[in-house]
């Protein structure tokens, strides 16, 4: 459509209206008389499970239809559509834009899907639009900004996405804007500041970013501002303090930083202030104490510091004070409350750095809940605690409180939770605790309390959880424990309890977790435990319980964790196999007998099966291969026989496989190399034959490999060197032959290496000196090793035990071995060593070097001195004397001849010895003061001293093999 040049603005608008009416004929042609037809189109788009729209019929007056409101005194003028909460599904049809006279639409709390139709923007009379709590998708239509008369729009709790349209700033009559609980992103539009009448703005639970725009200060009529649970940043603007009518301010769980504006103290109408879960810093402004109407103050989970400066004595209406998870310090102020005027009911100060005692809390007489846990509070629980007669929840755990639990605690008749764990409390549980008829949770664990558990505790019939772990309670479990019908958790582990488990425990039919481990309980398990149908976890390990298991236990179908290890149980395993949901079955170190029932494999979710240290016989059930989630299988120290079943190869998540100490036969299966998660493999002390499969080199995460005390033969496969995480390698007491592969040096995290009692031959690989983490032992004894002891072994500075005995090692002990300053056991006996024992090893006993015939020096006998010249036979002596006489005679003749020749001038020539020479040369010293070359004096060359001998190396502490050894910690131990 062409618009003529020079047309007036009114003419242009008329032409545009005509154009849109042509496009939107059904809407533009709508009149009050067309409302029934439009509503029937709406009905056709909806699914009506409750039949509330069944009366919508052309035969009936539209004003009588369910959910329809008409204008009083006028026929057929529909002003309201209210179908909230009827379970309607389907979409909102565009035809709804034909209800031109409608003023209110409420389709909230249904299951509507699809987009919000933009045609709603045509409803010029619309004042209220409620579409919240559906499953609507798409964006918020910008066309809603055309609704100039709109006062309330609540379309939150849907699946809307995209940005908040700035066109909503055109709805200048708007009083309520609710867009919470959607998936909206982007920033808060500055245009919302145009909504001068806006009283309620809820944008919480979206993913909005950016800051609070300064234009929002224009919403001077705000009473509720909720922007919580977004990703808003920046500081909290001070202009919020100008919203004089504001009653609720919720900015929780954003990323605001900086301090709390003191201007918030100007909000005299504020009843709710929630700033939790931001990054706010600085002190609490004292101006907040001016908020006389405040009922809830939550500043928790920030970085607020300084002293506690909120005073309920001034905030007389304050009921909730939540300051947990900050870095407040100092003591709880004595004037926190004024007992005659304070309304404070809930005080949460957990997770700060508060110190001192808790006496100041006794002034807050209205308190119902106290949580000052995870601080540094000291002192005792005051006997006057019963002044807080309305107290329901008391949490003082994770502090440094001392003293006893006062008997006056029994006067808190409304108490439901008493949490005092992880303090330094001593003394007994007062019998007065039995008066707490409403008590549900009692946590005293990790204190130093003692005495018997009082029988009166069984009068607390509302108890649901009891946890006394890690104290010094002694004596029996109360015989009337069965009175606690609501008990779900009973944790008495790690005390000094004795006696038997009371039969009445079977009356605690709600019990889900029973932990009695680490005590001195004795006797048999009561048959009544089979009545605990809800029981899921039961741990009784480290006691002296005995006898066969009650058959009634088979009825416990909900069991997931059973740990009866380290007791004296006997008989069959069958009673604990009634549940098919077991994740942990630990029965180690008892006296169970018989075969392993195939029913163990019924629990396909099993992750730990520990049956070691019993008297089980027969073969390993092939059905265990069905436990594909198994991470630990311990069948060690039994009397099992037969081969290792190939079905176990299906247990691909195994990290610990312990079959040692049985009578298993056959070979070490090569399929073990496919268990890539394996961290411990112990097949030692069986009767296995054949070679070590090279496939084990594929178990790259292996920490412990123990195949000792079998009948294995062949050579050590060099592929073992690929196990670079290995801490322990034990191949001793087999019939292994051949050379030790140098590739083992790549196992550079080894700290225990045992290859003794085999038939290994050849030299000790010098590369072993690179195993710098070796600490526990290097044992190569009782083999056929030959050659020299490598000098590189002197680099194993952490080594504590070295055993090379009973081999064919020769030559001298390398002088580098004294560098092993951590060594406390050395055995080089029964070899072919020779020469002197290095002085640095003289502190070891003689047995360390015995059986080396050519070895000497402390602690062995001293090495013999150099041999004296042998005496010459008499004939040789005579010949020598005769020769000397002949030579002497010849010399004398020559001298006599010479003297006769020079007799004439004998006085001019001196024939004395070299006395003058000695004098001239200063007693035989050269000009440097050193001995002359011919005086028989030389620099003494003693035994070489290694420069590294002066370096002291301390052996770093090592962790358990199964827990893994930290290479970082080991490295730190070197310095």
């Amino acid at each position: 459509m062409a618009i003529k040049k020079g047309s007036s603005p009114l003419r242009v608008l008329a032409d545009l209206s005509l154009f849109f009416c042509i496009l939107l004929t059904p809407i533009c042609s709508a009149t009050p008389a067309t409302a029934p037809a439009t509503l029937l189109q709406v009905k056709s788009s909806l699914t009506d499970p409750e039949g509330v729209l069944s009366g919508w019929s052309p035969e009936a007056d539209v004003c009588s239809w369910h959910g329809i409101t008409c204008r009083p005194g006028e026929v057929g003028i529909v002003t309201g559509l209210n179908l909230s909460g009827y379970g309607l599904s389907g979409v909102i049809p565009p035809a709804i834009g034909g209800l031109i006279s409608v003023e209110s639409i409420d389709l909230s709390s249904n299951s509507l899907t699809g987009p919000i139709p933009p045609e709603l923007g045509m409803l010029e009379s619309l004042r209220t639009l409620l579409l919240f709590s559906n499953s609507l998708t798409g964006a918020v239509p910008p066309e809603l900004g055309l609704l100039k008369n709109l006062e309330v729009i609540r379309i939150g709790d849907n699946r809307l996405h995209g940005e908040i349209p700035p066109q909503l700033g055109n709805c200048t009559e708007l009083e309520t804007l609710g867009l919470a609980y959607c998936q909206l992103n982007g920033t808060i539009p500055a245009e919302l500041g145009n909504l001068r009448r806006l009283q309620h703005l809820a944008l919480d639970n979206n993913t909005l970013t950016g800051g609070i725009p300064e234009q929002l200060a224009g919403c001077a009529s705000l009473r509720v501002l909720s922007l919580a649970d977004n990703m808003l940043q920046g500081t909290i603007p001070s202009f919020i303090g100008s919203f004089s009518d504001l009653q609720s301010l919720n900015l929780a769980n954003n990323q605001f930083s900086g301090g709390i504006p003191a201007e918030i103290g100007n909000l005299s109408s504020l009843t709710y202030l929630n700033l939790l879960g931001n990054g706010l810093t600085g002190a609490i402004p004292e101006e907040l104490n001016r908020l006389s109407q405040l009922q809830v103050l939550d500043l928790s989970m920030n970085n607020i510091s300084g002293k506690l400066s909120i005073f309920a004595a001034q905030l007389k209406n304050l009921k909730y004070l939540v300051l947990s998870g900050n870095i407040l310090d100092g003591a709880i102020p004595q004037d926190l409350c004024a007992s005659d005027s304070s309304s404070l009911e809930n005080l949460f100060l957990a997770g700060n750095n508060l110190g001192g005692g808790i006496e100041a809390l006794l002034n807050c007489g209205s308190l119902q809940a106290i949580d000052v846990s995870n601080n540094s509070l000291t002192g005792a629980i005051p006997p006057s605690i019963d002044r807080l007669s309305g107290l329901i929840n008391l949490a003082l755990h994770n502090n440094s409180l001392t003293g006893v639990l006062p008997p006056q605690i029994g006067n808190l008749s409304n108490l439901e939770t008493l949490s005092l764990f992880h303090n330094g409390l001593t003394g007994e549980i007062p019998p007065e605790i039995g008066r707490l008829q409403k008590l549900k949770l009692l946590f005293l664990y990790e204190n130093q309390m003692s005495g018997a558990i009082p029988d009166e505790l069984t009068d607390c019939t509302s108890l649901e959880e009891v946890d006394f772990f890690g104290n010094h309670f002694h004596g029996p479990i109360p015989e009337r424990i069965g009175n606690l019908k609501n008990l779900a958790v009973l944790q008495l582990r790690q005390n000094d309890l004795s006696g038997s488990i009371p039969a009445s425990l079977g009356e605690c039919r709600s019990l889900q977790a029973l932990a009695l481990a680490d005590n001195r309980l004795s006797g048999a398990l009561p048959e009544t435990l089979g009545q605990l149908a809800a029981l899921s976890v039961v741990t009784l390990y480290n006691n002296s319980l005995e006898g066969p298991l009650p058959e009634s236990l088979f009825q416990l179908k909900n069991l997931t964790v059973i740990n009866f290890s380290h007791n004296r149980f006997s008989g069959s395993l069958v009673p604990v196999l009634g549940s098919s949901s077991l994740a942990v079955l630990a029965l180690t170190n008892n006296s169970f007998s018989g075969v392993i029932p195939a029913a163990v494999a019924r629990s396909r979710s099993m992750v730990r099966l520990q049956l070691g240290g019993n008297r089980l016989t027969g073969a390993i059930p092939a059905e265990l291969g069905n436990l594909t989630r198994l991470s630990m299988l311990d069948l060690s120290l039994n009397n099992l026989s037969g081969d290792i079943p190939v079905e176990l190869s299906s247990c691909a998540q195994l990290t610990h496989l312990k079959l040692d100490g049985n009578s298993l036969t056959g070979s070490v299966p090569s399929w073990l190399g496919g268990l890539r998660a394996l961290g411990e493999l112990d097949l030692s002390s069986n009767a296995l034959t054949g070679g070590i499969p090279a496939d084990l080199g594929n178990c790259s995460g292996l920490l412990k490999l123990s195949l000792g005390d079998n009948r294995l033969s062949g050579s050590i496969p060099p592929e073992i060197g690929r196990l670079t995480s290995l801490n322990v390698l034990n191949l001793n007491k087999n019939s292994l032959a051949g050379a030790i592969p140098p590739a083992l040096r790549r196992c550079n995290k080894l700290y225990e290496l045992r290859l003794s009692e085999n038939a290994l031959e050849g030299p000790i690989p010098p590369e072993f000196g690179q195993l710098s983490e070796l600490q526990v032992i290097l044992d190569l004894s009782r083999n056929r090793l030959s050659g020299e002891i490598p000098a590189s072994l002197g680099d194993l500075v952490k080594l504590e035990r070295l055993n090379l005995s009973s081999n064919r090692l020769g030559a001298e002990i390398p002088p580098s071995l004294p560098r092993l300053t951590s060594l406390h056991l050395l055995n080089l006996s029964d070899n072919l060593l020779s020469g002197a024992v290095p002085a640095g090893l003289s502190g070891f006993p003689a047995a360390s070097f015995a059986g080396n015939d050519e070895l000497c020096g402390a602690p062995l006998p001293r090495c013999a001195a150099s041999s004296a010249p042998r005496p010459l036979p008499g004939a040789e002596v005579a010949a020598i004397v005769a020769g000397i006489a002949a030579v002497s005679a010849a010399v004398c003749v020559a001298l006599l001849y010479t003297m006769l020749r020079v007799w004439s001038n004998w006085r001019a020539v001196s024939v004395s010895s070299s006395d003058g020479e000695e004098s001239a040369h200063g007693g035989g010293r050269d000009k440097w003061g050193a001995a002359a070359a011919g005086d028989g004096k030389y620099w003494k060359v003693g035994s070489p001293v290694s420069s590294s001998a002066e370096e002291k190396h301390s052996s770093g502490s090592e962790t358990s093999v199964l827990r893994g050894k930290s290479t970082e910690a080991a490295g730190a131990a070197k310095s």
Side-chain angles (χ1 to χ4, degrees), residues 314-376:
Q314 300 178 44
L315 302 175
K316 298 183 184 303
N317 292 296
L318 192 64
K319 296 182 182 296
Y320 285 83
L321 177 57
V322 188
L323 303 176
S324 303
N326 283 288
I327 48 179
L328 298 171
D329 55 24
I332 300 173
Q334 290 294 327
D335 52 352
L336 173 65
C337 295
S339 57
D340 56 342
S341 60
S342 172
S343 299
L344 192 62
E345 296 177 353
N346 300 274
L347 177 63
F348 301 99
L349 304 177
N352 282 283
N353 296 325
L354 299 173
I358 64 172
E359 288 78 9
L361 301 180
L362 304 184
N363 296 325
C364 303
S366 300
L367 278 174
Q368 297 178 11
I370 296 175
D371 186 354
V372 291
S373 61
N374 295 284
N375 278 285
S376 301

Side-chain angles (χ1 to χ4, degrees), residues 813 826 828-830 837 841 844-852 855 858-860:
I813 299 173
L826 175 65
L828 305 179
S829 64
D830 298 315
V837 176
L841 302 179
F844 289 99
S848 297
F849 309 99
N852 292 281
L855 205 59
L860 299 176

Side-chain angles (χ1 to χ4, degrees), residues 398-456:
N398 283 329
N399 280 289
S400 299
L401 300 174
T402 55
V404 301
L405 182 60
Q408 290 82 356
I409 202 78
N411 296 332
L412 300 176
S413 57
N414 293 307
L415 203 62
E416 295 181 5
T417 298
L418 179 57
S419 183
L420 306 176
F421 66 86
H422 203 261
N423 278 287
L425 300 178
T426 56
E428 302 182 358
I429 300 174
E432 289 81 359
I433 203 167
R435 300 206 296 264
L436 302 179
Q437 298 294 306
K438 296 182 181 180
L439 193 63
K440 295 179 180 179
L441 306 180
L442 178 56
F443 298 147
L444 302 179
Y445 60 90
E446 292 180 332
N447 278 285
Q448 301 295 321
M449 301 184 73
S450 58
I453 299 174
D455 290 336
E456 289 81 358

Side-chain angles (χ1 to χ4, degrees), residues 768-769 771-772 774-775 777-778 789-804 813-828 838 840-841 844 946 948-955:
F768 274 15
L771 300 176
S772 58
L774 267 180
Q775 176 178 343
I777 192 170
L778 172 59
I789 298 175
S792 61
L793 296 189
D795 296 331
L796 306 178
V797 293
K798 294 181 179 180
L799 195 62
E800 297 174 355
R801 291 183 289 171
L802 175 62
N803 192 349
L804 306 179
I813 299 173
S816 60
L817 287 193
R819 298 207 302 262
L820 304 181
T821 54
S822 299
L823 208 61
H824 60 75
L825 187 151
L826 175 65
N827 193 349
L828 305 179
L841 302 179
F844 289 99
S946 170
S948 62
E950 298 178 0
E951 300 176 5
K952 300 298 181 182
H953 296 266
S954 63
S955 60

Side-chain angles (χ1 to χ4, degrees), residues 651-667:
C651 303
Q653 298 184 36
L654 271 175
T655 58
H656 299 263
L657 179 57
K658 291 173 57 63
L659 305 178
D660 51 295
N662 283 286
S663 299
L664 300 174
T665 53
S667 61

